[in-house]
Amino acid sequence: MCCNYRAMRFFQLSLFAVIFAAGTSAIAQTQKPVDHPKVVIEEVELQGSLLSKTAQEQLVSSLKERKWEEGSEWVNDLELIVIRAEEEGWPDRENQGYLGFSVGAWWKPVWREPGLLHVQVTVNVDERQAKKLEKIEFRWADEHLGPPLFDSNELRKLVPLKDGEIYNRDKYQAGLSAVAGVYKERGFIECTITSDLAINDEKQTAALVLEINQGQRYYWGNIRVIGLSPELETILRARLAKDTVVNPKLIADFYQEYKSLLPVGASPETTEWRRNEKLAIVDMTFDFSTPPAQVVHD
């Protein structure tokens, strides 16, 4: 009797284990993630793009090779891909007056099969029109410190971008550097310039406002020179006389003029600038000492 009870008990436990295992297997199957249906592009119509024919063909091919999840924001992702392709494929866009563009896409179904929706996509690139420069204005953020160092007419001559011509980013950047340069050469080494570009789509023009914060004027303080011949050191110190207006161009010119007499690798970028805002002075350290030669062991 005892043995029969044990056998029956063992059978019940074994049966429970089989049922439990089967149940967990069924649950695992129901919890297995289901792949979402995909969207594939069969045809792309690209409108309005000014990219080269080759670049357009590459863009269309890349879009056809992709798959997106149906129900996701795949159209937004597609538009971002087109925007990046437009920017990378035509980096000279702003040098030809094209300031900003927009991309829109829409689609329609072609056919469906299990797990796949085939669509046709139309992408419109609105390049707008090339903009002409209307004008450039100058403003000063620190007018309370006194009259500006330069007037608007003087600064305007430094920008090679003329009123009425097609906007050109490189010409504008060159002018911006020139304006900042004339301030720095007169001691205003902390001068900053912020720009605001206003686009008029009705007139197809662009207007620039440059706001200048010239800051305070700095003067040369203590000059320390290491590892330079006495003759060249005398020339360098004469250019950076104590209490004269700071001019970074004097340093660049020295390195350029005496390049053949300076140690290999000597550069204005290796100089050490120490500004004292309270005293409005700059202390400089020039280290022309060459590093010790490294011994190469066989």
Side-chain angles (χ1 to χ4, degrees):
M1 183 72 176
C2 178
C3 293
N4 291 339
Y5 174 80
R6 287 181 178 177
M8 184 178 296
R9 180 64 176 170
F10 176 79
F11 174 77
Q12 290 175 342
L13 291 174
S14 300
L15 182 61
F16 174 79
V18 171
I19 294 174
F20 178 79
T24 56
S25 177
I27 293 174
Q29 291 179 359
T30 58
Q31 291 179 341
K32 182 180 179 180
V34 179
D35 291 338
H36 294 286
K38 304 295 184 181
V39 175
V40 294
I41 299 175
E42 291 297 324
E43 183 179 348
V44 178
E45 183 180 358
L46 186 59
Q47 303 173 343
S49 175
L50 296 181
L51 293 178
S52 67
K53 183 178 179 181
T54 301
Q56 292 189 40
E57 291 174 350
Q58 292 175 346
L59 173 58
V60 169
S61 296
S62 69
L63 293 177
K64 287 184 176 181
E65 292 172 357
R66 294 175 177 268
K67 289 183 180 180
W68 286 272
E69 286 191 4
E70 186 178 358
S72 67
E73 296 183 355
W74 65 271
V75 176
N76 292 338
D77 295 339
L78 183 147
E79 291 175 348
L80 291 176
I81 293 172
V82 175
I83 289 173
R84 285 196 295 268
E86 288 284 330
E87 292 174 343
E88 295 172 0
W90 189 13
D92 211 35
R93 175 190 308 274
E94 291 187 8
N95 280 339
Q96 299 179 30
Y98 289 89
L99 301 172
F101 64 96
S102 61
V103 172
W106 56 95
W107 62 277
K108 63 180 181 180
V110 179
W111 80 84
R112 181 186 289 276
E113 62 179 294
L116 286 179
L117 172 63
H118 299 261
V119 300
Q120 175 184 336
V121 173
T122 300
V123 181
N124 181 68
V125 181
D126 184 4
E127 297 283 3
R128 304 186 177 97
Q129 295 183 27
K131 302 294 188 295
K132 293 183 178 181
L133 179 68
E134 178 184 353
K135 60 181 177 179
I136 297 180
E137 293 183 9
F138 294 89
R139 298 174 184 171
W140 285 265
D142 43 13
E143 291 181 344
H144 61 283
L145 298 178
L149 186 64
F150 304 97
D151 62 30
S152 296
N153 292 330
E154 291 176 293
L155 297 179
R156 183 65 183 88
K157 294 176 182 178
L158 298 174
V159 184
L161 186 59
K162 307 303 180 184
D163 294 357
E165 75 171 289
I166 294 296
Y167 178 86
N168 183 291
R169 178 197 57 222
D170 288 351
K171 287 185 178 181
Y172 158 65
Q173 292 291 347
L176 195 63
S177 297
V179 172
V182 296
Y183 274 93
K184 295 181 188 298
E185 289 172 13
R186 286 159 178 78
F188 297 95
I189 57 176
E190 294 178 338
C191 175
T192 59
I193 304 175
T194 56
S195 62
D196 181 47
L197 180 66
I199 298 175
N200 188 321
D201 286 321
E202 182 178 348
K203 296 181 179 180
Q204 300 303 326
T205 59
L208 277 164
V209 175
L210 302 183
E211 184 173 89
I212 300 171
N213 187 338
Q214 65 184 31
Q216 66 175 335
R217 175 174 268 164
Y218 280 83
Y219 299 84
W220 294 122
N222 296 319
I223 307 298
R224 184 180 179 216
V225 182
I226 304 171
L228 195 61
S229 67
E231 295 79 10
L232 289 179
E233 181 175 342
T234 299
I235 295 173
L236 177 58
R237 289 185 177 279
R239 296 191 178 194
L240 314 180
K242 190 177 179 64
D243 296 329
T244 59
V245 172
V246 166
N247 182 355
K249 187 175 183 298
L250 297 176
I251 298 175
D253 290 346
F254 174 82
Y255 277 83
Q256 182 62 34
E257 293 175 26
Y258 298 97
K259 182 177 181 180
S260 61
L261 301 177
L262 298 177
V264 176
S267 167
E269 297 180 1
T270 63
T271 58
E272 180 183 346
W273 293 62
R274 293 190 302 276
R275 302 181 190 180
N276 186 319
E277 296 182 1
K278 184 177 181 180
L279 300 177
I281 62 173
V282 175
D283 296 328
M284 298 290 299
T285 298
F286 295 85
D287 189 352
F288 294 96
S289 59
T290 56
Q294 297 183 352
V295 179
V296 179
H297 299 280
D298 294 334

